């Protein structure tokens, strides 16, 4: 348009001046029309930035038609050249206007061209030059019109070529983006295509981390130059970039611009560039990041290139955001949100693929490690859920650090983790990984202002046949893990078929437990607790011991089923029955033998202690039986109350409010701590049988038992020693000042009739046998024989 004006203006002024010289009004009028039109073109060019390309094209096309009509009217001899010039407006709008506007513009052009062509025939005036002046004027007009026609035709052709190239770039970008949903790959594709489309040498795509008000470098082109950029940029240090994100408007930065932002200028120099255009990355009407187009030449990115790049970005931003959303959804679906490890679904899928890859093709194995944290619930109760989550994250990090590249670590839920070793030749590799995991967990974990250590038990299962499934491996590893826990925790246990039989037996036993209370399959046995000061002749209380006889099966001891009942939750109804039955039977014995002071000790399991109805259960048992609360002693293990949670303290407080006594069972074998003895206002300590021995000397159980008794005496607690079987043991604890004793020396567990005979003096104190059992010992449950066949799992038969 500017070139058009610069060509027409001097030519028009020449003809106007020439017309004045020869006194030809028509020629003067023609020159003035041309000069005015050219002047308007130059002014329009100067102000065109205020309008769109389409608006400028329409204005110039209309003005060209008007100028052609006026020129043909002023000087009809120029009509033929002007008729050709009438084609220019249509070509001018070709790349900017829609079809409807083009039809109107072409119609006007046809009318203008037709009028110009016949103007010399219709109008009676005009110059009547002789040869060659008449030819020069006509040819000049024709040449200018023809040149301008080709000029705009060349411009339209270039525009169409650029548009085709841009369309091709859009199609290519869309095609490549459609091939992937990986957000990183989508980002790299966008950075490369935007750089090429804009004619930039380099391109950086960064996403906006709103939470931390920073930009995160997401992709860079060319990728080998990516190390020039930091991973993140604090937006507070780059206010101009921040403004692009806030306003959604592009920003041009030139090193030669004296008013450029100093932070942006320093950034450009750091990466060795001289020009930059910052474009907003907008998806669904919201800024999600920016794209920086840079060049080592001033103005290296043209306005048209920047505009096209911005247009491309509007389309590409949606694809990037969709890929990021898909990745987030995929992550949520297949990753554990707390630790970032694989979740159960992803782990199951990877184990399945690993089995498929090896099945029938390799003698190697797929190994699955099942990891369960030891005593995590106690840690959770002690520190709270938030701190416990921190521990789980730390455990996940250490598991990641222990596995090999290509292995998969997963959190299955709670404090359960699993590891997949996709291709191992034997158990050695799996055992090595498991040991590294345990070594990593042995180090302290920071929790709040302190630290803690977390132990774990790990079970390992290896695929052994083409028929193994994912569920088989997970089940076998789980079984091995629980076997390790039973052997002492903090162990690595390899699965073997005997464990599966044992697990099946436990499962069958567990099914028998369900509904056993309603079927009336439980009974109580009572073992005397005597006053050592009376040399065992005065009974101060009894301990209630539960027995279970499934229909059609032999009698089972607590060690045969209590741990299983804890796992299944059946311990709660069983324990509730024991409390009620013990109170009722004890009250009957009190009345029968005029012993209103006779006490009864009842064990309360950890699962019962967590039952929100436990205090009401105890209160109902006392009311139903008429037993005085002071005659009921609740025995709790150390591990049950080692964490001083508000809930634990509340239960103890409410139990003591009823008037019942509190005893710590098996004292010295668990997490012995003076703090909980004070916090829970304990009445009694029961010294575990492991401290009862016939040997003496430094470091042996008797030395430890002396320390425990002296501790109890210092705290003003009653002391009960368990497992006394000989008179010498009784004498030793009596000499220490221990108050009470319990054991075979004074009586084996007996039913209520046996207790009545005992009080009546008709039962002789049994002598200690070499085996610790009587000739009439029970036969084991047939299911227990499966459990006990493996000598690694002997079950003690204590009362």
């Amino acid at each position: 348009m500017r070139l058009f004006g610069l060509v027409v203006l001097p030519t028009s002024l020449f003809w106007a001046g020439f017309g004045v010289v020869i006194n030809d009004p028509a020629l003067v009028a023609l020159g003035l029309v041309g000069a005015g039109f050219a002047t308007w073109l130059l002014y329009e060019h100067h102000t065109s930035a205020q309008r769109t390309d389409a608006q400028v094209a329409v204005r110039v096309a209309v003005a060209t038609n008007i100028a052609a009509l006026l020129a043909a009217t002023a000087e009809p001899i120029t009509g033929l050249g002007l008729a050709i010039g009438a084609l220019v407006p249509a070509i001018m709008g070709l790349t900017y206007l829609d079809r409807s506007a083009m039809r109107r513009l072409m119609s006007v052009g046809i009318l203008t061209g037709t009028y110009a062509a016949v103007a010399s025939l219709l109008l009676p005036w005009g110059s009547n030059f002789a040869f060659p002046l008449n030819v020069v004027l006509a040819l000049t007009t024709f040449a200018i019109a023809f040149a301008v026609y080709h000029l705009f035709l060349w411009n339209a052709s270039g525009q169409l070529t650029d548009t085709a190239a841009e369309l091709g770039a859009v199609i290519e970008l869309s095609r490549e983006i459609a091939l992937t949903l990986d957000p990183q790959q989508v980002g790299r594709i966008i950075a490369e295509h935007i750089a090429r489309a804009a004619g930039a040498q380099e391109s950086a795509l960064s996403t906006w981390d709103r939470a931390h008000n920073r930009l995160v470098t997401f992709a860079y082109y060319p990728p080998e130059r990516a190390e020039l950029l930091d991973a993140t940029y604090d937006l507070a240090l780059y206010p101009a970039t921040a403004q692009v994100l806030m306003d959604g408007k592009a920003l041009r930065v030139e090193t030669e611009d004296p008013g450029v932002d100093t932070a942006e200028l320093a950034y450009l120099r750091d990466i060795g560039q001289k020009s930059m255009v910052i474009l907003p990355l907008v998806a669904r009407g919201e800024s999600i990041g920016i794209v920086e187009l840079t060049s080592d030449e001033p103005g290296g990115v043209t306005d048209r290139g920047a505009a096209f790049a911005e247009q491309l970005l509007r389309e590409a931003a949606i694809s990037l955001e969709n890929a990021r959303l898909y990745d987030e959804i995929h992550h949520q679906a297949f990753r554990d949100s707390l630790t970032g490890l694989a979740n159960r679904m992803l782990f199951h899928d990877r184990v399945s693929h690993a089995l498929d890859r090896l099945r029938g093709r390799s003698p190697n194995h797929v190994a699955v490690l099942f990891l369960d944290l030891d005593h995590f619930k106690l840690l959770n109760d002690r520190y709270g859920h938030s701190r416990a989550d921190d521990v789980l994250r730390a455990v996940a990090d250490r598991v990641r650090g222990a596995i090999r590249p290509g292995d998969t670590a997963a959190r299955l839920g709670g404090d359960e983790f699993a590891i997949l070793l996709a291709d191992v030749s034997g158990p050695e590799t799996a055992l090595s990984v498991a040991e590294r995991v345990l070594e990593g967990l042995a180090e302290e974990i920071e929790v709040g202002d302190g630290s803690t250590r977390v132990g774990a038990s790990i079970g390992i299962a290896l695929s052994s046949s083409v028929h193994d499934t994912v569920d088989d491996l997970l089940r076998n590893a789980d079984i091995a893990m629980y076997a390790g826990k039973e052997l002492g925790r903090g162990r690595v246990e390899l699965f073997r078929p005997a464990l599966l039989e044992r697990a099946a037996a436990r499962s069958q036993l567990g099914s028998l437990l369900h509904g056993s209370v309603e079927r009336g399959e439980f009974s109580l046995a009572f073992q005397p607790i005597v006053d050592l000061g009376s040399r065992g002749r005065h009974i101060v209380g009894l301990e209630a011991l539960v027995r279970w006889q499934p229909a059609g099966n032999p009698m089972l001891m607590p060690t045969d089923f209590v741990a299983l009942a804890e796992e299944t939750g059946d311990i709660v109804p069983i324990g509730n029955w024991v409390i009620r039955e013990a109170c009722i039977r004890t009250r009957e014995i009190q009345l029968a033998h005029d012993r209103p002071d006779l006490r009864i000790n009842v064990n309360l399991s950890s699962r019962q202690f967590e039952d929100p109805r436990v205090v009401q259960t105890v209160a109902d048992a006392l009311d139903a039986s008429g037993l005085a609360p002071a005659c009921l002693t609740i025995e709790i293990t150390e591990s049950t109350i080692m964490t001083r949670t508000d809930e634990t303290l509340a239960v103890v407080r409410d139990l003591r409010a009823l008037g019942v006594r509190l005893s710590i069972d098996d004292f010295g074998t668990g997490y012995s701590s003076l703090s909980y003895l004070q916090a829970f206002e304990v009445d009694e300590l029961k010294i575990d049988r492991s401290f009862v021995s016939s040997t003496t000397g430094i470091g042996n159980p008797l030395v430890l038992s002396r320390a425990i008794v002296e501790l109890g005496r210092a705290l003003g607690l009653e002391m009960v020693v368990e497992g006394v079987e000989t008179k010498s043991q009784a004498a030793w604890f009596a000499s220490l000042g221990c108050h009470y004793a319990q054991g075979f020396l004074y009586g084996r567990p007996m039913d209520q009739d046996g207790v009545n005979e005992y009080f009546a003096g008709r039962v002789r104190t049994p002598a200690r046998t070499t085996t610790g059992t009587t000739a009439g010992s029970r036969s084991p449950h047939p299911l227990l024989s499966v459990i006990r066949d493996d000598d690694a799992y002997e079950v003690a038969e204590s009362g």
Side-chain angles (χ1 to χ4, degrees):
M1 184 171 63
R2 181 168 176 268
L3 182 60
F4 189 11
L6 291 175
V7 170
V8 172
L9 181 60
T11 304
S12 298
L13 290 174
F14 169 78
W15 285 114
F18 186 71
V20 172
V21 171
I22 65 174
N23 193 26
D24 188 334
L27 192 57
V28 172
L30 174 64
L32 291 177
V33 168
F37 176 56
T39 303
W40 181 85
L41 282 175
L42 294 175
Y43 175 78
E44 183 70 10
H45 168 264
H46 181 69
T47 61
S48 61
Q50 303 171 10
R51 288 177 284 276
T52 66
D53 288 347
Q55 289 173 333
V56 172
V58 170
R59 287 166 62 86
V60 173
V62 171
T64 302
N65 278 296
I66 293 173
L69 287 171
L70 292 175
T73 302
E75 183 57 86
I77 195 173
T78 60
L80 183 59
L82 292 172
I84 295 175
L87 299 173
V88 171
I91 297 174
M92 192 179 302
L94 185 61
T95 58
Y96 302 107
L97 304 180
D98 58 27
R99 289 191 175 187
S100 177
M102 280 299 297
R103 279 197 300 269
R104 291 194 297 270
L105 196 58
M106 290 173 68
S107 298
V108 173
I110 291 171
L111 293 175
T112 301
T114 302
Y115 171 76
V118 300
S120 61
L121 301 176
L122 298 176
L123 301 176
W125 60 81
S127 301
N128 189 17
F129 298 123
F131 180 85
L133 191 58
N134 60 341
V135 176
V136 171
L137 179 60
L139 285 177
T140 301
T141 306
F142 179 82
I144 292 176
F146 194 76
V148 170
Y149 171 79
H150 280 85
L151 175 65
F152 279 97
L153 186 62
W154 171 80
N155 178 70
S157 175
Q159 293 280 358
L160 290 173
T161 301
D162 290 345
T163 302
E166 291 171 355
L167 181 60
V170 172
I171 294 172
E172 183 64 17
L173 175 61
S174 300
R175 186 189 67 81
E176 290 196 28
I177 288 178
L179 296 176
T180 180
L181 280 171
D182 177 8
Q184 292 290 338
Q185 183 66 15
V186 171
R188 286 191 290 269
I189 292 170
I190 292 173
E192 178 178 353
H193 280 267
I194 293 297
R196 290 178 175 176
Q201 290 176 314
E202 298 183 7
S203 172
L205 190 154
S206 304
T207 56
W208 187 8
D209 179 1
R210 290 175 178 267
H212 301 92
N213 194 35
R214 62 181 183 176
L215 282 177
V216 180
T217 303
F218 199 74
Y220 198 83
Y221 175 81
E224 59 270 15
R225 294 257 297 167
E227 67 273 4
L228 294 176
L229 273 68
D230 293 335
T232 61
Y233 289 88
D234 186 353
L235 280 172
L237 303 177
Y238 297 91
T241 300
Q243 197 64 41
V244 173
L245 289 165
M246 299 301 295
D247 296 344
K249 295 180 179 179
L251 172 69
R252 180 177 288 275
V253 180
E254 300 286 346
T255 55
E256 297 179 353
D257 182 359
V260 69
D261 183 273
T262 55
E264 304 295 346
L265 180 61
Y267 167 72
L268 266 181
R269 288 173 175 168
D270 285 345
I271 62 174
Q273 302 290 289
K274 295 182 179 180
S275 175
M276 175 172 65
V277 175
I278 305 175
L279 302 176
L281 192 62
V282 180
R284 299 178 178 88
E286 184 177 83
S287 291
I288 62 171
I290 62 168
V291 169
E292 298 166 328
L293 302 171
T294 59
S295 174
D296 61 2
E297 297 180 0
V301 179
T302 65
D303 290 340
R304 178 181 174 83
F308 176 55
E310 191 168 9
Q311 182 181 352
L312 269 184
L313 273 183
R314 282 196 289 270
E315 304 301 324
I318 299 296
S319 298
L320 177 61
E321 187 68 358
N322 288 343
R324 292 173 65 193
L325 289 173
Y326 174 81
D327 186 64
E328 183 178 342
I329 293 170
H330 186 272
H331 189 279
Q332 292 174 353
F334 294 104
R335 293 285 173 180
D336 175 56
S337 59
L338 178 65
T339 64
L341 296 178
N343 62 10
R344 182 181 291 272
M345 184 182 299
L346 179 57
F347 188 78
H348 192 285
D349 183 67
R350 291 192 176 175
V351 175
S352 177
H353 279 84
L355 287 171
D356 290 340
R357 282 195 300 271
L358 292 183
R359 190 170 285 130
R361 298 184 182 92
S362 171
N364 287 355
H365 309 274
V366 173
V368 170
L369 285 66
F370 197 103
L371 182 151
D372 184 84
L373 302 183
D374 295 332
H375 302 298
F376 183 75
K377 184 183 182 302
L378 299 177
L379 185 146
N380 196 25
D381 292 340
R382 178 180 179 184
Y383 292 107
H385 292 299
S386 178
R387 298 298 188 191
D389 285 349
D390 292 340
V391 171
L392 289 174
R393 280 188 282 265
V395 169
D397 289 340
R398 296 186 183 183
V399 170
R400 282 192 195 95
I403 62 178
R404 311 168 306 170
D407 296 338
T408 298
R411 177 173 174 243
L412 304 183
D415 60 339
E416 293 180 342
F417 296 81
I419 298 171
L420 163 65
L421 310 182
D423 191 348
V424 297
S425 58
E428 296 78 13
T429 302
L431 289 168
S432 176
V433 171
E435 290 297 338
R436 287 202 302 271
V437 171
L438 292 183
E439 289 172 7
L441 294 180
E443 300 176 10
E444 289 190 345
I445 296 175
E446 298 297 324
V447 183
D449 297 331
S451 61
T452 188
R453 282 188 172 88
V454 178
S457 299
I458 301 177
I460 300 174
L462 271 67
S463 60
S464 57
S465 75
V466 296
H467 303 295
D468 282 334
T469 66
V470 180
D471 292 335
D472 291 338
L473 286 178
L474 281 172
R475 178 202 61 202
N476 294 347
D478 187 31
I479 289 171
M481 181 274 295
Y482 274 108
K485 280 189 180 292
E486 291 182 0
L487 288 175
R489 301 178 185 269
R491 296 173 56 94
V492 177
E493 196 68 27
L494 192 63
F495 175 80
R496 52 192 182 279
L499 296 182
L500 185 58
E501 295 179 15
R502 181 173 180 276
R506 284 173 59 84
S507 177
Q508 188 173 351
L509 198 63
S511 65
L512 291 176
L513 267 176
H514 188 64
S516 53
V517 172
E518 291 77 3
R519 294 192 296 270
E521 295 175 354
F522 291 95
S523 60
L524 289 182
F526 302 90
Q527 187 170 31
I529 300 173
V530 302
D531 184 355
L532 282 175
S534 67
R535 297 185 178 180
R537 287 189 286 270
H538 179 65
I539 300 175
V540 295
L542 303 167
E543 180 176 2
L545 304 169
V546 66
R547 302 290 187 260
W548 177 33
Q549 187 163 18
N553 293 282
M555 178 92 57
L556 300 183
M557 298 295 108
T559 50
D560 296 330
F561 64 86
V562 167
L564 182 60
E566 288 266 7
E567 292 179 21
T568 63
D570 290 302
I571 194 65
V572 174
I574 293 172
N576 293 345
W577 179 88
V578 169
I579 291 173
R580 183 181 181 86
E581 190 72 6
C583 290
I584 292 173
R585 300 307 171 200
T586 301
R587 182 56 181 159
E588 291 175 353
I589 295 172
Q590 287 179 342
L591 294 174
H593 301 283
D594 194 22
R595 285 292 308 275
D597 59 336
L598 185 70
R599 301 174 184 169
I600 183 68
N601 283 36
V602 179
N603 287 277
L604 195 68
S605 74
S606 59
R607 288 289 290 268
Q608 281 180 277
F609 204 76
E610 297 167 1
D611 183 5
R613 297 164 296 182
V614 62
V615 176
Q616 189 60 48
T617 297
V618 173
D620 291 345
L622 292 172
D623 290 342
S625 63
L627 185 71
C631 292
L632 175 61
T633 300
I634 298 294
E635 294 187 11
I636 306 171
T637 60
E638 291 176 289
S639 60
T640 300
I641 58 172
M642 70 166 286
T643 54
R644 293 174 51 184
T645 65
D646 293 339
E647 293 80 4
T648 304
L649 289 169
V651 171
V652 171
R653 183 178 60 249
D654 293 344
L655 286 174
R656 294 193 64 82
L658 292 177
V660 302
R661 302 170 73 251
L662 186 65
S663 174
I664 302 300
D665 194 18
D666 300 333
F667 182 78
T669 62
Y671 299 84
S672 303
S673 170
L674 298 181
S675 62
Y676 74 68
L677 295 179
Q678 182 179 14
F680 295 109
E681 302 180 14
V682 176
D683 298 290
E684 174 184 287
L685 297 183
K686 296 192 77 174
I687 304 172
D688 186 68
R689 67 183 66 248
S690 61
F691 295 101
V692 179
S693 172
S694 59
T695 62
T696 59
I698 301 299
N700 65 63
L702 294 186
V703 174
L704 297 175
S705 64
R706 180 195 294 272
I708 293 174
V709 172
E710 289 179 355
L711 171 65
R713 290 174 59 187
L715 294 174
L717 303 177
E718 294 183 359
M719 307 295 292
V720 181
V721 58
E722 298 179 291
V724 176
E725 299 184 2
T726 66
K727 292 181 179 180
S728 61
Q729 292 171 347
W732 166 255
F733 282 96
S735 69
L736 295 179
C738 186
H739 308 97
Y740 308 112
Q742 176 181 351
F744 287 170
L745 179 64
Y746 307 109
R748 295 183 180 279
M750 60 195 81
D751 59 17
Q752 187 173 352
D753 291 339
V755 172
N756 289 331
E757 293 179 0
Y758 193 95
F759 272 102
R762 293 195 295 272
V763 176
R764 185 173 61 86
T765 300
R768 182 175 183 268
T769 65
T770 57
T771 63
T773 60
T774 60
S777 295
R778 62 188 173 86
S779 299
H781 189 284
L783 293 177
L784 295 180
S785 65
V786 175
I787 299 176
R788 295 173 181 175
D789 279 346
D790 190 340
D791 58 6
Y793 296 94
E794 294 180 355
V795 180
E797 294 194 23
S798 62

